[in-house]
Amino acid sequence: VAKHAGRNRFSYFTPDIRDSASARLRAIDQLRQALARRELRVYYQPIVELASEAIVKAEALVRWHHPDGSLVLPQHFIGIAEETGLIGEIDAWVLAQAVPCAARLGELTGAPFQISVNKSPVGFTRRVIGHGWEEDLALFNSAGARIAVEITEGMLLDDSPGVRDKLARLQKAGVQFTIDDFGIGYSSMAYLNKFKVDFLKIDQSFVKDMHTTNPRGQIFAETIIMMAHKLGLKVIAEGVETASQRDWLRQAGCDYAQGFLFSPATTEERFAQLLQAG
Ligand code: C2E
Ligand code: MG
Ligand code: MG
Ligand code: MG
């Protein structure tokens, strides 16, 4: 979506303006109000099983329907939300939308449906007033395997007993974990060794490079898939935009794919239509 999203540009959140203290305060204030006024929306992007090309899961991605009529993408406000701690509230809110949505989609298909939510490391390790882990945990407990949590390796930088304990409790509640953007961090492998996850998401950059004349993307993807399978994990490829990427990933044994080739993130209503169209 980001590419052809001219109207998604939002001047308050461009990096140069972010440096100005007053513009920053204004941005923070607007984001607070966005939460209070319910201007945030959760969009859902299909995750397909490569073998069948059926939609089997979704990723919840937050958007901001700004009162000026623009649709603001997360890249313009997640950073500020993380710096101010508002991200805890945003992530908790997204989760609270995703849990009943997964139940509704499950009813539609007659089988359990899983939605994955992104969890900022900031919200994970620091208690944010009013929206701590206890509340999240209560939601997760009722949702069980309907929810997967996408973490980047930043999350596990904090390898404290407190964080580990929270993760263990969530796993006991049936929540599954995905390492997002796998392969671009400094210590992705070390994390895999430290913490038991269920899915690896191959970073988009490898998928993008897959069919260039210097196909390092293929080598990375192949290696990640092989390693994941040996560890008993499933692999999701992100940013799949072309049929040749899809076909290559399928023959390489990748389990799931997500990308504009199938669908961008969309409203629950539209997602339900896609799901029912088969
Ligand atoms: P992510 O979790 O890695 O999400 C994947 C991003 O790739 C999404 O961007 C998605 O729209 C985009 N994408 C999907 N398919 C394609 C494709 O085929 N080509 C290209 N070029 N892009 C594709 P989005 O929605 O703008 O989100 C950007 C990032 O913002 C996410 O990256 C995630 O890190 C963060 N984010 C989004 N929603 C939330 C949230 O609720 N909480 C937190 N903490 N972070 C979020
Ligand atoms: Mg993600
Ligand atoms: Mg990703
Ligand atoms: Mg990302």
Side-chain angles (χ1 to χ4, degrees):
V1 183
K3 288 270 172 57
H4 33 89
R7 70 188 207 107
N8 288 336
R9 309 199 87 231
F10 184 55
S11 56
Y12 291 106
F13 291 90
T14 56
D16 43 322
I17 293 179
R18 259 182 60 172
D19 293 338
S20 136
S22 69
R24 225 183 94 82
L25 285 177
R26 201 163 60 232
I28 294 167
D29 198 48
Q30 287 217 0
L31 193 50
R32 278 217 180 86
Q33 287 186 13
L35 270 161
R37 293 179 184 156
R38 303 180 175 278
E39 289 165 10
L40 299 185
R41 299 279 186 286
V42 184
Y43 278 37
Y44 299 93
Q45 185 176 32
I47 298 174
V48 305
E49 182 182 57
L50 274 167
S52 62
E53 280 197 42
I55 298 173
V56 291
K57 300 168 191 292
E59 178 174 9
L61 293 159
V62 70
R63 271 97 182 86
W64 177 2
H65 281 213
H66 196 271
D68 74 7
S70 60
L71 184 74
V72 187
L73 289 173
Q75 67 193 93
H76 299 293
F77 60 90
I78 293 288
I80 281 188
E82 285 183 332
E83 288 165 34
T84 55
L86 279 173
I87 192 68
E89 256 179 86
I90 293 175
D91 285 351
W93 180 82
V94 169
L95 175 66
Q97 312 308 304
V99 167
C101 178
R104 285 190 292 270
L105 294 173
E107 260 168 50
L108 214 61
T109 58
F113 194 87
Q114 188 183 60
I115 295 180
S116 61
V117 298
N118 292 281
K119 188 82 186 160
S120 162
V122 176
F124 222 103
T125 54
R126 189 182 349 135
R127 196 188 152 88
V128 188
I129 304 146
H131 291 271
W133 267 85
E134 287 64 27
E135 289 89 342
D136 285 4
L137 195 62
L139 263 179
F140 279 132
N141 266 324
S142 67
R146 286 206 300 267
I147 294 295
V149 178
E150 300 197 1
I151 56 181
T152 53
E153 62 182 65
M155 166 82 68
L156 297 170
L157 269 177
D158 183 351
D159 194 24
S160 65
V163 170
R164 281 210 210 190
D165 178 55
K166 284 170 181 172
L167 294 176
R169 280 157 70 197
L170 291 171
Q171 291 194 313
K172 242 183 104 187
V175 174
Q176 295 195 305
F177 283 87
T178 304
I179 299 190
D180 203 350
D181 306 336
F182 187 81
I184 57 165
Y186 292 111
S187 45
S188 306
M189 303 276 258
Y191 285 129
L192 259 192
N193 198 21
K194 251 195 270 189
F195 183 63
K196 190 205 156 294
V197 298
D198 304 280
F199 305 101
L200 289 191
K201 246 188 200 184
I202 301 178
D203 188 69
Q204 317 200 356
S205 57
F206 302 129
V207 176
K208 197 157 288 156
D209 289 348
M210 205 154 262
H211 288 88
T212 60
T213 47
N214 183 15
R216 284 161 178 264
Q218 291 185 0
I219 297 168
F220 284 115
E222 239 162 33
T223 308
I224 292 170
I225 293 164
M226 191 189 299
M227 178 187 63
H229 286 167
K230 283 192 172 168
L231 290 169
L233 315 179
K234 300 281 193 192
V235 183
I236 304 165
E238 191 170 59
V240 178
E241 295 184 353
T242 69
S244 53
Q245 289 167 343
R246 174 202 59 202
D247 295 344
W248 188 90
L249 285 159
R250 189 194 285 121
Q251 65 76 33
C254 185
D255 303 285
Y256 305 102
Q258 177 182 357
F260 296 163
L261 175 67
F262 308 104
S263 168
T266 185
T267 60
E268 178 182 341
E269 212 176 18
R270 176 87 189 106
F271 187 95
Q273 288 169 358
L274 290 173
L275 196 58
Q276 286 184 304

